[in-house]
Amino acid sequence: MNMFERLFYKHLEDDEELYVAIHKHWVHGVKELVLPFISLVASWGVLYYLPFTPMVILIIAVDIGILVWMLRNFLDYYLDAWLITNTAVIDVEWHGWFHRQSTRIDYSSIEGVSYEIEGILGTIFGFGTVSIEKISTGSVFSIEDVKRPRDVESTILACQESCIRTKNMKDSSAIKDIIADIVSERMYLKEREGEEEEVEVE
């Protein structure tokens, strides 16, 4: 687990297990870094042709700003993700250094999952949009430009099936425990009634 993945654990419940984090295709991550990288190289070019002390200080200050810009763009790409856990899909959005947002979609509230691959680039690089529709509300949550959207859809459906099956087993076990408690309580009451009848006869 890398340093950035640790940031996702703030969005999980105490007993929740993270299976996979779904990001946009790496092509979009690279696209976010192209302009800052070009700016960084350009600043080095200026320093090469103007190697004066005041210019060196200015370029260092500019480069620090560019590196912060680059880091911000990377985090904007990386921390906008879907977290697939054992109980839900969590839609995480990173809007800046001091603004994060997450929406939890429990498997029990998912009505359907779909994917769409559109355009030449999406077909060539294999990225598309995955959408989740919630039961009753009809609201749709989507993440665009994800790598292998069909695999993402299959993963969500498999996790949903596993979660519901586990929940049904727990519910069945809980029902059995309740029935066992009721039966034992009634048997105890019958025994008490029998003892009271014996006392009355004597």
Side-chain angles (χ1 to χ4, degrees):
M1 180 175 60
N2 61 42
M3 177 183 68
F4 296 112
E5 285 182 344
R6 292 180 186 276
L7 298 175
F8 291 136
Y9 280 81
K10 297 178 180 180
H11 302 283
L12 305 184
E13 301 292 339
D14 292 337
D15 57 345
E16 197 167 12
E17 183 179 352
L18 176 61
Y19 290 155
V20 64
I22 305 298
H23 305 277
K24 292 185 177 182
H25 197 280
W26 60 266
V27 168
H28 294 274
V30 171
K31 186 172 68 175
E32 293 292 327
L33 298 178
V34 167
L35 190 55
F37 182 75
I38 291 173
S39 302
L40 193 64
V41 172
S43 71
W44 296 340
V46 171
L47 186 61
Y48 179 78
Y49 288 105
L50 301 170
F52 308 116
T53 302
M55 187 59 67
V56 170
I57 295 171
L58 177 62
I59 292 299
I60 289 174
V62 169
D63 284 354
I64 290 172
I66 292 173
L67 290 173
V68 171
W69 177 24
M70 189 177 290
L71 178 61
R72 194 248 180 237
N73 284 7
F74 171 76
L75 291 176
D76 190 32
Y77 155 75
Y78 189 84
L79 296 181
D80 279 352
W82 275 9
L83 310 181
I84 300 179
T85 75
N86 58 327
T87 60
V89 176
I90 305 172
D91 180 11
V92 178
E93 295 182 39
W94 194 83
H95 301 290
W97 299 109
F98 307 106
H99 185 191
R100 287 195 302 267
Q101 178 181 346
S102 71
T103 304
R104 174 176 293 272
I105 311 165
D106 292 325
Y107 290 127
S108 58
S109 67
I110 293 178
E111 183 172 359
V113 184
S114 61
Y115 76 92
E116 179 183 14
I117 297 175
E118 186 178 9
I120 296 172
L121 288 178
T123 304
I124 292 173
F125 290 102
F127 61 80
T129 301
V130 180
S131 301
I132 293 176
E133 183 177 356
K134 292 189 71 175
I135 294 172
S136 69
T137 62
S139 56
V140 176
F141 295 85
S142 299
I143 182 169
E144 298 177 349
D145 304 324
V146 296
K147 185 178 179 182
R148 294 196 294 269
R150 183 177 181 179
D151 292 347
V152 175
E153 178 199 43
S154 300
T155 301
I156 294 172
L157 291 173
C159 290
Q160 181 188 27
E161 182 182 351
S162 175
C163 177
I164 291 173
R165 189 187 306 120
T166 303
K167 184 178 183 298
N168 288 340
M169 289 176 64
K170 287 181 179 178
D171 290 345
S172 175
S173 177
I175 290 170
K176 287 179 182 177
D177 290 342
I178 291 170
I179 292 172
D181 290 341
I182 292 171
V183 170
S184 62
E185 184 179 350
R186 290 191 176 180
M187 288 179 64
Y188 173 74
L189 289 173
K190 283 185 178 180
E191 288 178 2
R192 289 290 304 272
E193 287 175 2
E195 290 174 359
E196 289 175 359
E197 288 177 359
E198 287 179 4
V199 170
E200 288 177 2
V201 169
E202 290 175 357

